[in-house]
Amino acid sequence: MAISNLSTAQTPLLDDASLYYKGRPVHRSNSGGWRYASFIIVVEIAERFANYGISSNLITFLTGPLGESTAVAATQVNAWSGASSLLPLLGAFIADSFLGQYRTIILAFLLYILVKQFPFLLLREFIMPGICNSSDQSTDNIILSSSAQFQVTLFFFSLYLVAFGQGGHKPWVQAFGVDQFDRQDPEECKAQSSFFNWWYFSICAGTFITLWILTYIQDNLSWTLGFGIPAIVMVVGLLVFELGTTTYIYSIKGDEENPFLRIGRVFILAVRNWKTTSSAIAAEEEARGTLPTESSKQFKFLNKALLAPDGSKEQGKVCSTGEVEKAKTVIRLAPIWVASLFYAIVYAQMITFFTKQGATMDRSITAGFKIPAASLLSFISLTIMVFISIYDRIFVPLARALTRKPTGITMLQRIETRMLLSAISMLIAILVEMRRLKTAEECGLVDKPNVTVPMSIWWLLPQYILSGLSDVFAMVPKELRSVGLALYLSIFGVGSFLSSFFISAIEKMTGEGGQDSWFANNLNRAHLDYFYWLLAALSAMGLALYLCSAKSYIYARGSTL
């Protein structure tokens, strides 16, 4: 993962698709490269610091200072997480269609900073004082005054503005970093590969550090400070990003259409040409020199998009063979996408119920130091950092020797492994929660939710490690690399919303008649183990659906995955 030493002597102009600041031609000797790509890595670290500074411990804040019930807080965290995953799709469209990468990143940073200051000020001036003055000390729940409730509403509004800011940041920062390297230069191609390695390492390392520092500050010092520090870090990140403004390489947007529009046009033309005969399609394929393949024979109705209704072959009125194949890949991936939602639902529990479980357990490291329950999320990042190298250097070569495939195992096998690891982590979570409940019962702590259950929080570690290990097997199909980010993010976005829906529905069904629900505020009387059994069953269903879908999946022409 070493950074390459790039020579700047005798450096030519880059290709015509890149420009220097204010439209001037690019010279490699004074622009782009590792020096300026490193600024962009710093930006990503700052964003991760800010994002996880909120998301990782939000469940603790909502059920603690804000006094929300466990079920309501988990529902809100999942809904916000879903929005954070889906809004980058909107940000990508805005950047691609109107603003461009650089302006979108700057505006997202400014929005990030402004709205992160907003909850910081609300906490300091209104929410925390309002809670202290209006809480009912005789009950476990905090009753807010109408004015405090309004401020809490503003707090949630600012959280969703943070998600909107993330929507402008996430899709383009990495792509902007890649643009700093000349793809036509062999040395810089190697440097670009190194950039990807450092990029992911920096994301994981930044997340790991954040989850230990900020969660400790929030749990033990001040929530106001814990939410204020990320805003300061984002200011620093913006200043670092601005250092390279005059020397960044800016890619020129070509005439190529948005991939979603190209794929959508395939379906529209296929419907408009529904009367087109098979012989006409075969003649068009022969005229284009397209040889029949197993891929081209599947979903043949989309091949009608190769012809225009009026017989014209002008650009924009007909689709290319490649566009038709991508549209077919979308259909092939649809059942796989649905099956992956079950994985995403399980993943959504990492920042909600897993954290709440840990808060009830023994978190002592020394006599006077307890780790924050949310800090165990850091082991997901640590697992990725450790096992990504093991995967590349040990697992892939061994698998390649056995399967004779360049990638060791196929894309479908990687997804299958990921879903299997997720199901196993859920089974482990069930066993741990059953043991926690039994320990609480044996120690007479069922009705003492504020007393620590004498069971080490490290019992939760395996389920976090398996979650991180499953991330190592994450992969986007090569045939859809241009829209892969959208598919990947949409899985987690929709999965989080589904998790929110399930929690609300189960809370309503199991809490009727005043009985303790599966998500009772007193987790010693709750039944998270029942909920985990449900998720394990859904994971098994998702894996079965995936295996059935994978059998009928046909790789596009030229794919090596």
Side-chain angles (χ1 to χ4, degrees), residues 34-61:
W34 251 114
R35 178 181 178 184
Y36 301 103
S38 62
F39 292 166
I40 299 170
I41 290 180
V42 172
V43 166
E44 182 63 15
I45 293 174
E47 191 277 335
R48 291 288 163 160
F49 192 92
N51 181 43
Y52 282 95
I54 290 180
S55 63
S56 62
N57 216 17
L58 185 58
I59 184 74
T60 305
F61 176 74

